[in-house]
Amino acid sequence: METTALNPQEIQQFRAETKGTAEKIHFNNAGSSLNPDIVVDTVIEYLKDEALLGGYEAEYKYRDALENTYTLIAQLINADVSEVAIVENASVGWGILFNGIDFKKGDEVITSEMEYVTNLIGFLYAQKTHGIVFKVIPNDAQGNFSLKALEEAISAQTKLIAITHIASTTGGMMPIVEIGKIARKNNILYLVDACQSAGQVPIDVKEIDCDMLSVTGRKYMRAPRGTGFLFIRKAIQDKVKPLFMDGHSIEWVSEDDYKLRDDARRFELYEKNRAVTLGMGKAIEYALNIGIDRIWQRVQYLADIMRLKLREIEGITVHDTGDQQCGIVTFSLHGTESGAVKGKLAENNINVSVGLAKSTLIYMNKNQLSNVVRASVHYYNTEEEIEVMCDVLKKIKY
């Protein structure tokens, strides 16, 4: 087990800059991380200016900082600013991208058993309305995605490969870089859901070689709720139709015609929450200043410790599989409902969540799981907090 990439002084500083760490042991970062104080202050200050100056006037005052949020997003994922649009969450971003594809009857979409419920619903809807076919590549017995099975599943009708990088209810990860190579070799559109990835794992859209990517702010990026963004590669922007348009989405309009913007912001609408947009920019800046590589090392270190400690507790089963795992740790306590485990931990000021079957339906059904306890670590968590959680779990009777 590697040592942490962040030294104790840095960790204490990050905790001091996050008021919530003094109140709770927060292992629900895959749901919504604790915001750094500077993110909270940024949102509040903007709202104060809206109240004092007026909404449009405050937007004008902060115009450079708002524009810089796009630059920070592009830096985070190694994209061009023209390939980024700001949306309310990853589901909105994913929906804009997926539903903007011109599907025809018989078109095939290939996915994995780790796909999120919102995306699965999208496939089912497209199946009902457009007559598409979607194929699921199952993981092997070790929980690894089969690249060979993916290549064998590709046909002349395959239009899209859609992959969730990190599933909602297990700590395993999909090999999105290797999948990208296969998609590019076969000239197939490639959509990645990085909802649980951004902020804990380095994301480089050029390395992944994806055409589209969706991200939420509230999870590992530590941004406010109601924030997110999408990436769409410049070369395919004209191949994805906007689902809605307004005066912001276009370059010009006449009484007879209009022309779309020449960048990803054609997929945005003008009206959005500027305060939380600024908060997301500040959260990304905060993470970039630490270094995503260092954050990723720290997250893996803590998750490895948590899995090791949990496996030592009688009656607990850790469900994470696959060669590469992340900051999400899923487990169950024999004879005790996951909701009851969550409740007992909450009584001791420890936040976890319950992963429901519907969230990652194909994976959960395959493994006969109705629910799991999900404990998700971030870099500001500590080894001592893991010990406290494990001590509480040892006292729960099953």
Side-chain angles (χ1 to χ4, degrees), residues 1-7 11 292-308 323-325 383 386:
M1 188 179 300
E2 294 184 4
T3 55
T4 178
L6 303 174
N7 65 51
I11 294 161
I292 302 297
D293 288 328
R294 299 175 74 218
I295 290 172
W296 178 221
Q297 290 176 52
R298 170 74 178 172
V299 167
Q300 289 175 294
Y301 167 77
L302 289 172
D304 286 346
I305 290 176
M306 182 177 283
R307 292 188 185 97
L308 182 64
D323 292 341
Q324 188 172 30
Q325 297 174 355
E383 296 91 329
I386 294 171

Side-chain angles (χ1 to χ4, degrees), residues 200-215:
Q200 71 160 319
V201 185
I203 296 293
D204 184 332
V205 294
K206 291 183 173 62
E207 181 186 18
I208 300 166
D209 210 3
C210 58
D211 296 294
M212 300 166 284
L213 179 130
S214 59
V215 171

Side-chain angles (χ1 to χ4, degrees), residues 106-261:
D107 284 344
E108 294 176 353
V109 174
I110 300 179
T111 188
S112 82
E113 69 179 51
M114 314 307 282
E115 206 64 7
Y116 185 57
V117 57
T118 302
N119 308 352
L120 179 60
I121 293 168
F123 302 148
L124 291 168
Y125 180 78
Q127 185 181 64
K128 291 174 183 292
T129 57
H130 299 299
I132 73 158
V133 175
F134 72 94
K135 301 176 179 178
V136 178
I137 307 298
N139 289 348
D140 62 23
Q142 289 71 46
N144 294 312
F145 181 83
S146 173
L147 297 170
K148 182 173 183 291
L150 170 62
E151 293 201 90
E152 290 173 349
I154 291 172
S155 73
Q157 286 72 47
T158 304
K159 190 155 194 170
L160 175 72
I161 298 173
I163 297 292
T164 292
H165 185 200
I166 296 175
S168 176
T169 52
T170 180
M173 301 172 64
M174 295 291 101
I176 55 173
V177 172
E178 291 75 15
I179 293 170
K181 290 183 172 71
I182 293 171
R184 188 63 57 231
K185 180 177 72 174
N186 289 276
N187 195 31
I188 297 168
L189 288 173
Y190 181 30
L191 168 59
V192 174
D193 182 337
C195 183
Q196 297 286 8
S197 311
Q200 71 160 319
V201 185
I203 296 293
D204 184 332
V205 294
K206 291 183 173 62
E207 181 186 18
I208 300 166
D209 210 3
C210 58
D211 296 294
M212 300 166 284
L213 179 130
S214 59
V215 171
T216 196
R218 74 176 191 273
K219 297 180 183 288
Y220 278 92
M221 284 206 311
R222 305 185 66 193
R225 297 192 70 174
T227 58
F229 63 84
L230 63 82
F231 157 83
I232 179 165
R233 194 161 56 90
K234 185 72 172 177
I236 70 149
Q237 288 177 10
D238 287 338
K239 297 180 181 179
V240 178
K241 62 181 183 295
L243 300 182
F244 33 68
M245 289 175 280
D246 66 4
H248 171 78
S249 313
I250 59 166
E251 284 188 7
W252 59 263
V253 61
S254 70
E255 293 186 19
D256 305 305
D257 203 359
Y258 62 88
K259 181 181 179 183
L260 287 169
R261 291 181 62 127

